[in-house]
Amino acid sequence: MVGRPLRPNKSSDPTVKKGTWSAEEDQKLTAYIRRYGIWNWAHMPNPAGLARTGKSCRLRWMNYLRPNIRHGNITKEEEDLIIKLQQLLGNKWAAIAARLPGRTDNEIKNYWNTRLKKRVGYKNKLQIPIACDIKVKPNHNNGSSHPYACLPTIDTPKLEAGIGSQYEIPTMSENSFCTSYGVQYDDKTSENSWYSPCSVTEEEERLREQFLALRDIEIEENFCGMYMHSGATDPALVCMQQELVYHSGSCQDFIMDLWGK
DNA sequence: AATCAGACCAACCGCTATGCC
DNA sequence: TGGCATAGCGGTTGGTCTGAT
């Protein structure tokens, strides 16, 4: 069989330099970009006088050389924000970095992996609303699949749920703004108290603000997308939207905002 | 002073998304 | 519509630094 000749593999090309960038290389790349701008990373190294791949040049520029980059000394505020954003967005380092002026995704990723991951761990993982955190029980009386999902109580156990059940609806849980949902049968005989108030602390409120600020670009899509992939149908979604019962103003606003779009 | 282990971080690699032809 | 080139992202690697023994 005669195939196409393989494209030259630059990563194994001995003429391509790898490893730490020298000050001279930095200077060449910076000077070139200042003069000609960024037009094509792949074609840039040669005219810039660099024996690097375009990819390497891009990375060096993006992570180190470009203007307004801040190195080191991540502040407590930045650290807190990284933790919260990671909890909200997951390992979306670019998205997180976009909210920390002067910081790069690589730097934040490194910082997380080397310092924060162990400290924060998974225990405190904030669970953004997804479609598999809660199992809504069907109506005993008429077999309806219209549950009343309600705001949480601290003691409400997080219900096990498999993905794909039509009885699953989005929720938040421990460490979230509202600790978790209680679930109420239509006949209101649930063992879960759903009349307990949802107290929102200052910290939770702050988180909520961050969350709301982020939802347009990340959360809403995940939320709706995951819901729609959970096996639920549109009518069920509408039904639950209508039938969710809220007992706290701020939580209500928050959740309504999520559901609203 | 030498050695070792762990922390840190720059850079690489592989993959996906996007745009263009 | 498919293929290719490029950009961008996230996981991983490997070199360097630092502190403990």
Side-chain angles (χ1 to χ4, degrees):
Chain A
M1 183 170 104
V2 179
R4 273 189 322 158
L6 291 171
R7 270 183 288 165
N9 182 357
K10 283 193 176 178
S11 65
S12 60
D13 184 344
T15 65
V16 173
K17 192 172 174 225
K18 285 186 176 184
T20 309
W21 279 63
S22 67
E24 186 190 359
E25 287 176 308
D26 283 348
Q27 192 274 327
K28 280 181 179 175
L29 182 59
T30 305
Y32 186 87
I33 289 174
R34 282 195 178 140
R35 182 159 185 185
Y36 299 105
I38 298 165
W39 50 283
N40 183 314
W41 287 114
H43 298 150
M44 186 181 292
N46 265 344
L50 293 161
R52 297 271 182 175
T53 65
K55 209 170 184 178
S56 179
C57 292
R58 180 191 159 273
L59 201 71
R60 183 64 179 169
W61 175 258
M62 299 300 277
N63 286 338
Y64 197 83
L65 298 174
R66 83 185 140 101
N68 304 322
I69 293 280
R70 295 162 62 199
H71 297 287
N73 296 330
I74 288 187
T75 65
K76 183 73 176 67
E77 289 71 28
E78 286 176 313
E79 185 180 296
D80 289 343
L81 190 53
I82 290 169
I83 292 168
K84 302 302 180 197
L85 288 168
Q86 200 281 336
Q87 290 169 340
L88 289 169
L89 302 174
N91 296 355
K92 305 279 187 188
W93 306 119
I96 293 170
R99 292 166 183 81
L100 286 142
R103 301 297 183 184
T104 68
D105 56 349
N106 205 37
E107 185 177 20
I108 290 167
K109 178 174 61 180
N110 282 335
Y111 194 76
W112 173 265
N113 286 332
T114 57
R115 301 187 198 191
L116 299 180
K117 190 158 76 178
K118 281 172 248 169
R119 207 167 80 206
V120 175
Y122 294 100
K123 271 193 174 175
N124 295 329
K125 193 172 183 179
L126 176 76
Q127 298 184 20
I128 61 172
I130 57 174
C132 54
D133 280 344
I134 191 167
K135 193 174 280 176
V136 177
K137 300 172 184 175
N139 185 341
H140 282 306
N141 296 332
N142 57 15
S144 160
S145 61
H146 302 168
Y148 289 95
C150 0
L151 286 176
T153 70
I154 297 297
D155 296 321
T156 301
K158 190 178 169 198
L159 302 173
E160 288 291 322
I163 296 175
S165 162
Q166 63 173 314
Y167 298 130
E168 292 158 10
I169 64 168
T171 186
M172 293 165 286
S173 59
E174 297 90 15
N175 306 314
S176 179
F177 321 108
C178 301
T179 51
S180 74
Y181 284 101
V183 176
Q184 180 69 36
Y185 295 112
D186 277 359
D187 60 9
K188 298 184 175 53
T189 58
S190 170
E191 64 274 18
N192 297 317
S193 165
W194 57 300
Y195 294 103
S196 299
C198 173
S199 61
V200 179
T201 66
E202 203 172 303
E203 169 66 7
E204 287 168 342
E205 182 62 24
R206 199 170 63 76
L207 266 173
R208 173 181 171 273
E209 291 303 320
Q210 286 180 8
F211 189 86
L212 290 174
L214 294 167
R215 76 188 195 289
D216 288 341
I217 47 174
E218 296 287 348
I219 304 301
E220 184 199 349
E221 185 183 352
N222 293 343
F223 180 70
C224 296
M226 292 186 75
Y227 180 82
M228 295 306 282
H229 285 88
S230 72
T233 59
D234 273 330
L237 174 62
V238 171
C239 171
M240 280 192 278
Q241 278 183 281
Q242 292 170 343
E243 295 190 6
L244 279 169
V245 180
Y246 306 109
H247 295 277
S248 161
S250 60
C251 283
Q252 176 177 343
D253 292 345
F254 170 62
I255 294 166
M256 284 303 287
D257 210 33
L258 284 173
W259 281 105
K261 291 195 177 179

